[in-house]
Amino acid sequence: SIYNQSLRYYESAIAAQPFAPCSLISVPYTDGTTTYGLRAYWCPAHRNQAARATVIVSNGYDGTAEMLLHDVGLRLNERGYNVLVFDGPGQGYTVRFLGLPFRHDWEFVVSQMMYYVTTVYNVDANTIVLWGQSFGGFLAPKAFSQLPTVAVCVANGGILDFFQALSCPLGSALMGLMNSNSALFNTVLKYDVAPTNIGMDSVLSYGYMGFGVTTPYDLYTALQPYSLSATDMQLMANRPLLVNDPALD
């Protein structure tokens, strides 16, 4: 496939770098019944042999580990951090070739990434940082709220309620239709709205794959748990959390 071919070219380019700061790895991940290998890139801090802080980077709705490695990972590594960039459930290689959709309890995913880096590599387990990019700006804080051993979280940009973020642009009429007539809601979004709205077309076309659904109604239903509760917010109180609001995201 074109996707696989693109990955091979990317891997060749990474390997050809003079100092090859990052390597492609496979991180064990279990969903409770089956163990998979999640595609990831590990970028160790090479300044000295001492255990150093590690940033675990979660990408977003339709991003890939390869995109995020250059957008965020290498920049963090240049500044002396160990970095793990991975495709979690619903993302990149993981959803396309392993068939694993998004899950809102992202702490279940991140805890396994943390276990891997702290047991396989020489890292400072007391300075684990979570970085969430785009939709990762919901996923990372959600995991942070449930994982008290994580030292710091960066949400770039922060999302309190992802369902609200994607449903508000529909307007009251379409939301009312979703709640009253799911079949008509599906028809209107697929044949009237999406063909003339590139944003909606993108939300739907990737969302079907990312969330493992086949209709607009099922997608918006699947999005509803993706919000930070009052309890989540309380669990992050008085902990280091940086929320950014980037342009054009």
Side-chain angles (χ1 to χ4, degrees), residues 120-163:
V120 173
Y121 302 114
N122 180 32
V123 307
D124 183 353
N126 294 317
T127 51
I128 300 293
V129 178
L130 298 186
W131 182 295
Q133 191 82 353
S134 194
F135 176 42
F138 163 80
L139 298 173
K142 179 63 171 67
F144 182 62
S145 73
Q146 304 299 314
L147 299 172
T149 59
V150 175
V152 178
C153 180
V154 178
N156 186 41
I159 300 174
L160 178 66
D161 189 328
F162 193 58
F163 170 72

Side-chain angles (χ1 to χ4, degrees), residues 6 14 34 57 78 90 98 101 114 116 142 219 225-226:
S6 298
I14 288 291
T34 304
V57 184
E78 290 168 355
L98 302 182
M114 291 173 59
Y116 181 81
K142 179 63 171 67
L219 174 59
Y226 289 79

Side-chain angles (χ1 to χ4, degrees), residues 165-178:
L166 293 187
S167 61
C168 282
L170 295 177
S172 58
L174 280 174
M175 285 303 297
L177 193 59
M178 176 185 170

